[in-house]
Amino acid sequence: MNQDPIATYALRLGDNCLVLAQRLSAWCGHAPELEIDLALANIGLDLLGQARNFLSYAAERQGKGDEDTLAFHRDEREFRNVLLVEQPNGNFADTIARQLLMDAWHVALFSRLVNSQDAQLAAIAAKSIKEARYHLRFSRGWTERLGGGTELSAKRMQTAINNVWRFTAELFHADDLEIQLSEQGIAVDPRELHEGWLAEITSALTAAELSVPQEQPYRTGGKDGLHTEHLGPMLAEMQYLQRAYPGQQW
């Protein structure tokens, strides 16, 4: 695979959106209410659109294939998403916890990426930030409803946040590629996102009468293709049709 650093960076951002979109699509027809069902489906479609933009750009810079090639014809170790997005849906609180943490990160990221020296990345971020802000309003609103609801809903919401907290530190782990591109004004140094992200999450959890988990050992590796046991089965389902009938057109 072409090791163009900008292509790799775009691939990482696209994979985050693609995997999270696939997770949310699994709620279609199964959400607690029809309104939530539609909302999660629409958020998933937004993320899928973002994924297409990033992956198309990555494919263009690599000089081969397109977004479909990257989405459906890579193996697990070739995906570069962070570990948080591949975690299972679980119950509704689990999904909202994962979504809140990623939405706040996307808002912080895209707000800075709009100033990228790479015109295409800046344009994708400018379109994506509007959607990300809506996504954050949704996930934050439901965090507050569940946290301030019944004893059971509050307990489930706190447990959900606690369970995925160990995956959040990876969001702010900078490797050589990100440091190099950020010094060139192309990428965003993820370390610069932590303060604003934590302030947003603390505000949301406080409003929901929930606690911010204590710092704990964390896992990394997703951006290098080292994933949890959850990504492979999800990709098998997502990629089945395209691999079973390669080259088919609708």
Side-chain angles (χ1 to χ4, degrees):
M1 183 179 291
N2 191 329
Q3 295 302 309
D4 178 282
I6 298 178
T8 300
Y9 185 67
L11 191 70
R12 291 177 176 182
L13 300 184
D15 283 349
N16 287 337
C17 296
L18 177 63
V19 172
L20 191 54
Q22 179 69 14
R23 282 294 188 218
L24 291 180
S25 72
W27 275 105
C28 193
H30 300 282
E33 298 175 358
L34 179 59
E35 182 178 359
I36 300 172
D37 200 303
L38 294 173
L40 291 175
N42 283 327
I43 292 171
L45 287 173
D46 288 343
L47 289 165
L48 188 61
Q50 294 169 21
R52 291 191 65 188
N53 289 332
F54 282 121
L55 295 182
S56 293
Y57 186 44
E60 177 186 331
R61 292 194 66 96
Q62 290 175 0
K64 59 181 180 180
D66 55 18
E67 72 267 27
D68 289 337
T69 305
L70 291 175
F72 300 121
H73 296 285
R74 281 182 297 152
D75 295 329
E76 177 184 337
R77 290 293 297 271
E78 296 176 285
F79 273 74
R80 296 293 182 260
N81 57 277
V82 294
L83 302 178
L84 177 60
V85 296
E86 67 195 46
Q87 299 312 301
N89 284 338
N91 60 44
F92 184 58
D94 293 321
T95 291
I96 291 298
R98 184 189 62 205
Q99 196 67 33
L100 173 70
L101 300 174
M102 278 304 297
D103 289 342
W105 186 77
H106 271 146
V107 169
L109 171 68
F110 294 148
S111 296
R112 290 164 176 76
L113 194 59
V114 294
N115 299 314
S116 173
Q117 293 298 309
D118 184 286
Q120 188 64 19
L121 289 176
I124 296 172
K127 180 179 184 300
S128 301
I129 185 60
K130 302 173 185 178
E131 298 168 340
R133 286 175 177 145
Y134 161 72
H135 301 167
L136 180 57
R137 287 198 299 271
F138 175 84
S139 58
R140 177 166 177 157
W142 272 103
T143 298
E144 294 179 10
R145 289 186 185 96
L146 294 173
T150 65
E151 181 180 351
L152 177 59
S153 70
K155 180 179 179 181
R156 287 187 174 179
M157 194 67 234
Q158 184 67 67
T159 299
I161 291 289
N162 293 345
N163 286 344
V164 292
W165 192 258
R166 68 187 185 277
F167 297 109
T168 58
E170 185 185 23
L171 300 173
F172 313 105
H173 177 77
D175 62 8
D176 290 343
L177 181 144
E178 289 165 322
I179 293 173
Q180 174 193 346
L181 290 180
S182 64
E183 290 175 347
Q184 297 171 14
I186 295 172
V188 176
D189 188 332
R191 295 171 294 186
E192 298 176 357
L193 304 179
H194 185 260
E195 183 178 357
W197 174 89
L198 185 59
E200 177 66 40
I201 295 302
T202 300
S203 173
L205 295 182
T206 300
E209 302 178 29
L210 300 171
S211 300
V212 177
Q214 294 184 343
E215 191 172 336
Q216 54 190 268
Y218 63 91
R219 292 191 58 180
T220 61
K223 290 186 285 189
D224 296 318
L226 302 175
H227 296 282
T228 66
E229 68 274 20
H230 305 297
L231 182 62
M234 192 214 77
L235 292 179
E237 180 178 340
M238 185 182 82
Q239 297 176 334
Y240 170 75
L241 187 63
Q242 289 75 12
R243 294 198 178 213
Y245 303 99
Q248 295 299 305
Q249 300 291 325
W250 290 102

